[in-house]
């Protein structure tokens, strides 16, 4: 062992899951003593030294006797020379750890590293079970293109992005973009440097899922299993991408799993449970880390504490007191977990659910209480955004989805629907009849949208509605809304629909799209009866798909150029 290791120390900082308030992992941080050679700087230029530091980090964590997963820093250049990571693999095995309990935090420099070698090495490490984190994103030399190709399990933003996040729109936009990238590649978004409660509120508002910082717990020589967590702030203004209809992703609620081999005795399981009171259950896994049996803490200890329980089971395989594990994939949603629990045995409702990767290996567990709390909060937030008359979301939800599709480089078709002469309808038939008409239009929109997965509908207010769908997915809406007879208080009523088609790259957001839609709405209102006009940004003329020009046959096109 090199002499410099005699004075090298390690500190441990919790990685906090912001959805559950629990410690998701510990990051091991090398801390050379004052006066020593700058080992960390040397390690950036010496892969062998860097690999030895990573191995020492795992050994230091083993001395803490913590069951928490670990984050271990390693340079991208060291990873690219994957055979050089042999000391790390040996340390993981010697510590009794499994590779999927280790997340490798890749740090720069990235520019000098051959990309093909790095990507191949990362793929090999994933095959072995290690999880990959891109560390220091936002203040290093990691190209966005390479970040996308790495598709890390965790994207960890540099602490510089956390500073002034609560009042800096530019930094908020960067964090939002990284959250979107994580959702597309199936990873989690983390951030470092949370020092104040305002920063804590800001990172939650931005959709960050994991965080580190002195607010929760500073780096310490002793591994901390508990952290300070402020009262969760009210989170508003989230994008539609943050609120998928199928519920939040289960990875957002991931907790560390207590894993023991299938051969573990009941006595060994009991020792683990009594040694770690925060552990609610144990998973018995095979040699590949696939859950084979699950042990619930309460039922297991109750069996062992019975009159002859210890004598009957203590030295025998724990499998005798275990149940079949309940597992979900890492891409499952909270609602899918809840459905699985509801369909299972009633006496196991509170048991942990194991989350597995594509190979069936356990990467953590989720607790029913966390799932129920999150779904309840999402329902409250959703209800607050709905129009009280139609129970449809407002314009913010549709606008956010428009912005998301534009950011993804997709074509957008945004439509504006309203009732012709709605003031006269209210004046002549009464506001109760007008309200019932609006409810009926809202119900029809919702029914059609339920059969068109790519569509979104919203109620702006009054008689104005928004419809977002593919350019070729609007005909079902037109048939259901324009090709039927509407009435209010016995008075016939017609509707007008205006659509602007924005090709990919033609607008920067929902604002310009809405501006281009305004003259199209006027053109539709100028046509008698039920009408529908379609304009395409940059194209000459407006296509009339429903309605007739005043005093003549249906007009296939009106002369006008649609501008953003």
């Amino acid at each position: 062992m090199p002499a410099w290791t005699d004075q090298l120390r390690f500190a441990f900082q919790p990685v906090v899951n912001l959805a559950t308030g629990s410690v998701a992992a510990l990051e091991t941080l090398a801390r050379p003593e004052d006066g020593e050679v700058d080992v960390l700087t040397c390690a950036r230029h010496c892969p062998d030294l860097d690999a030895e530091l990573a191995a020492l980090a795992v050994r230091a964590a083993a001395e803490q006797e913590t069951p928490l997963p670990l984050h271990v820093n390693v340079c991208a250049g060291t990873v690219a020379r994957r055979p050089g990571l042999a000391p790390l693999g040996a340390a993981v095995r010697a510590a009794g750890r499994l590779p999927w309990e280790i997340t490798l935090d890749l740090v720069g420099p990235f520019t000098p590293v051959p990309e093909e070698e790095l990507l191949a090495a990362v793929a090999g490490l994933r095959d072995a079970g290690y999880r990959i984190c891109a560390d220091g994103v936002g203040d290093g030399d990691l190209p966005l293109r390479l970040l996308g190709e790495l598709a890390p399990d965790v994207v960890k933003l540099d602490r510089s992005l956390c500073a002034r996040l609560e009042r800096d729109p530019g930094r908020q936009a960067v964090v939002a973009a990284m959250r979107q990238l994580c959702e597309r590649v199936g990873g989690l978004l983390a951030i470092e440097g949370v020092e104040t409660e305002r920063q804590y509120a800001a990172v939650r508002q931005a959709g960050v899922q994991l965080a580190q910082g002195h607010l929760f717990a500073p780096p310490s020589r002793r591994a901390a299993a508990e952290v300070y967590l402020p009262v969760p702030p009210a989170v508003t203004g989230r994008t539609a991408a943050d609120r998928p209809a199928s519920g939040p992703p289960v990875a957002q609620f991931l907790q560390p799993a207590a894993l023991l081999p299938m051969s573990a005795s009941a006595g060994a399981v009991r020792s683990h449970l009594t040694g770690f009171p925060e552990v609610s259950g144990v998973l018995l896994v095979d040699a590949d880390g696939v859950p084979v049996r699950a042990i619930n803490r309460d039922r297991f200890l109750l069996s062992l504490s019975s009159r002859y329980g210890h004598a009957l089971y203590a030295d025998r395989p724990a499998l005798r007191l275990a149940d079949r594990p309940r597992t979900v994939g890492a891409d499952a949603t909270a609602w899918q977990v809840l459905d699985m629990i509801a369909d299972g045995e009633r006496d196991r409702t509170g048991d942990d659910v194991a989350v597995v990767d594509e190979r069936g290996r356990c990467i953590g567990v989720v607790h029913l209480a966390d799932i129920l709390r999150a779904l309840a909060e999402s329902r409250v937030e959703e209800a607050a955004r709905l129009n009280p008359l139609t129970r449809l979301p407002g314009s913010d939800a549709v606008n956010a989805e428009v912005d998301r599709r534009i950011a993804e480089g997709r074509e957008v078709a945004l439509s504006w629907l309203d009732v012709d002469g709605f003031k006269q309808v209210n004046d002549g038939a009464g506001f109760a009849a007008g309200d019932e008409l609006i409810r009926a239009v809202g119900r029809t929109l919702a029914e059609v949208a339920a059969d068109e997965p790519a569509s979104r509908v919203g109620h702006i207010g009054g008689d104005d509605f928004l419809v977002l769908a593919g350019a070729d997915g609007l005909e079902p809406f037109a048939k259901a809304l324009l090709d039927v007879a509407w009435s209010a208080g016995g008075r016939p009523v017609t509707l007008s629909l205006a659509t602007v088609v924005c090709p990919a790259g033609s607008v920067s957001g929902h604002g310009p799209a809405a501006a281009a839609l305004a003259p199209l709405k006027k053109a539709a209102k100028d046509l008698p009866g039920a009408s529908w006009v379609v304009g395409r940004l940059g194209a000459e003329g407006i296509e009339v798909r429903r309605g007739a020009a005043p005093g003549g046959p249906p007009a296939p096109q009106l002369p006008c150029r649609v501008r953003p």
Side-chain angles (χ1 to χ4, degrees):
M1 188 71 67
W4 51 263
T5 62
D6 294 339
Q7 298 299 319
L8 187 66
R9 299 292 182 265
F10 284 89
F12 304 89
Q13 186 171 38
V15 179
V16 178
N17 184 321
L18 297 182
T20 63
S22 61
V23 179
L26 290 173
E27 181 176 4
T28 56
L29 302 165
R31 290 288 188 264
E33 295 291 329
D34 293 339
E36 290 295 310
V37 176
D38 191 348
V39 177
L40 301 184
T41 300
C42 295
R44 293 190 185 98
H45 305 286
C46 179
D48 291 337
L49 176 59
D50 188 42
E52 186 61 39
L53 275 177
L56 286 171
V58 173
R59 294 191 187 102
E63 295 175 1
Q64 299 290 315
E65 298 182 348
T66 174
L68 290 168
L70 304 176
H71 279 243
V72 178
N73 292 283
V74 62
C75 294
T78 304
V79 170
R81 295 175 67 252
R82 188 186 169 193
L85 281 176
L88 172 63
V92 170
R93 291 189 296 273
R97 289 282 191 167
L98 298 169
W100 36 95
E101 296 179 279
I102 310 296
T103 297
L104 300 179
D105 286 13
L106 270 60
V107 297
F110 287 88
T111 305
V113 181
E115 290 186 8
E116 290 186 5
E117 294 180 14
L118 177 61
L119 292 172
V122 165
L125 289 167
R126 277 206 172 101
D127 285 340
Y130 293 97
R131 303 183 77 227
I132 302 298
C133 168
D135 198 358
V137 173
D139 194 40
D141 64 341
L142 176 59
L144 287 177
R145 172 186 48 77
L146 179 57
L147 178 62
E149 291 178 358
L150 284 170
D153 301 287
V154 180
V155 172
K156 188 182 291 186
L157 301 179
D158 186 77
R159 64 178 55 249
S160 60
L161 284 172
C162 191
R164 302 193 304 279
L165 179 63
E166 69 275 14
R167 61 181 186 274
D168 189 328
R171 298 183 191 213
Q172 293 167 7
V174 171
V175 176
M178 288 298 102
R179 172 66 191 267
Q180 188 177 78
L181 182 145
C182 288
E183 289 171 350
R184 295 294 295 273
V185 302
L188 296 176
L189 183 63
I191 197 166
E192 296 180 311
V194 180
E195 312 295 340
T196 68
E197 295 198 11
R198 287 188 176 183
Q199 290 176 340
Y200 169 69
V203 298
R204 283 181 57 94
Q205 178 79 22
V208 175
Q209 295 149 309
L210 303 173
Q212 294 173 256
H214 281 66
L215 177 67
F216 310 116
S220 171
R221 293 288 174 83
R222 298 294 300 173
E226 296 183 0
V227 295
Y228 168 74
L229 201 71
V231 176
V235 181
T236 58
R238 292 177 181 172
T239 67
D242 294 327
R243 302 183 298 269
S246 55
V250 72
Q252 185 172 321
F253 310 100
L254 207 61
Q255 301 262 31
L259 306 178
L260 289 176
M262 287 172 52
S263 58
S265 68
V269 172
R270 182 179 182 278
S271 296
H272 192 89
L273 292 175
T274 54
F276 301 105
E278 71 278 6
V279 173
S280 56
V282 170
L283 290 171
L284 303 179
V285 298
D286 64 15
D288 294 322
V290 176
V292 178
R293 287 289 187 272
I295 293 175
N296 172 271
R297 178 190 191 91
D298 294 337
R299 291 198 300 275
F300 178 84
L301 292 179
L302 184 62
S303 296
L304 247 63
S305 63
S306 63
R307 185 172 183 182
Y308 300 109
H310 189 273
L312 285 173
Y313 300 113
D315 297 326
R316 297 189 179 184
L319 287 168
R320 293 171 177 266
L321 296 173
D323 301 293
R324 288 187 177 278
R326 298 186 300 183
T327 62
V328 295
D331 58 350
T333 67
W335 280 113
Q336 289 172 322
V337 174
L338 198 59
D339 288 341
M340 184 192 67
I341 292 173
D343 292 338
E345 304 166 49
R346 295 188 64 179
D347 61 344
R348 297 190 61 196
T349 301
D351 287 14
D352 296 343
V353 176
V355 182
V356 298
D357 64 13
E358 67 280 358
R359 295 191 178 188
R361 301 175 299 202
C362 181
I363 59 174
V365 296
V366 292
H367 301 320
L368 175 62
D370 294 330
I371 296 292
L372 290 176
R373 187 183 306 112
L375 292 178
E377 290 173 355
S378 69
R379 281 292 180 256
V380 170
E381 288 181 4
E382 183 180 348
R385 293 188 302 271
L386 300 181
N387 185 285
L389 189 61
T390 60
R391 309 305 294 168
L392 291 176
S395 59
D396 285 350
V398 179
N399 290 338
E401 181 64 12
V402 170
D403 288 340
R404 187 176 73 86
R405 297 186 187 188
I406 289 172
E408 292 175 352
R410 297 162 61 183
E411 180 180 82
V412 168
L414 183 63
S415 300
W416 192 337
L417 173 78
D418 73 343
V419 178
D420 296 325
F422 184 63
K423 184 179 186 301
Q424 288 71 31
V425 171
N426 271 345
D427 291 345
F431 70 86
D435 284 353
E436 182 52 40
L437 173 64
I438 296 303
R439 290 191 191 96
V441 171
R443 284 194 298 269
T444 302
L445 279 169
E447 290 168 0
V448 178
D451 295 328
E452 299 290 330
S455 68
R456 298 287 187 274
V457 296
H459 186 182
I460 303 174
D463 65 320
D464 292 313
F465 298 86
L466 285 178
V467 179
L468 175 63
D472 56 353
L474 286 165
E475 190 62 33
F477 288 96
K479 288 181 178 180
L481 295 159
L482 305 180
D483 297 349
V484 298
W486 293 92
S487 65
R491 297 168 176 264
V493 175
T494 58
L495 309 180
S496 295
L497 183 67
T499 301
V500 62
V501 179
C502 306
S506 62
V507 290
S508 59
H510 70 270
L517 189 54
L520 293 172
K521 179 188 177 184
K522 182 179 185 305
K525 302 291 283 186
D526 288 343
L527 297 174
S531 60
W532 179 20
V533 302
V534 179
R536 189 176 184 87
L537 277 182
E540 297 289 345
I542 300 174
E543 179 186 358
V544 179
R545 296 191 182 179
R546 299 284 196 285
Q557 197 169 51
L558 298 176
C560 180
R561 182 176 178 83
V562 183
R563 295 180 173 84

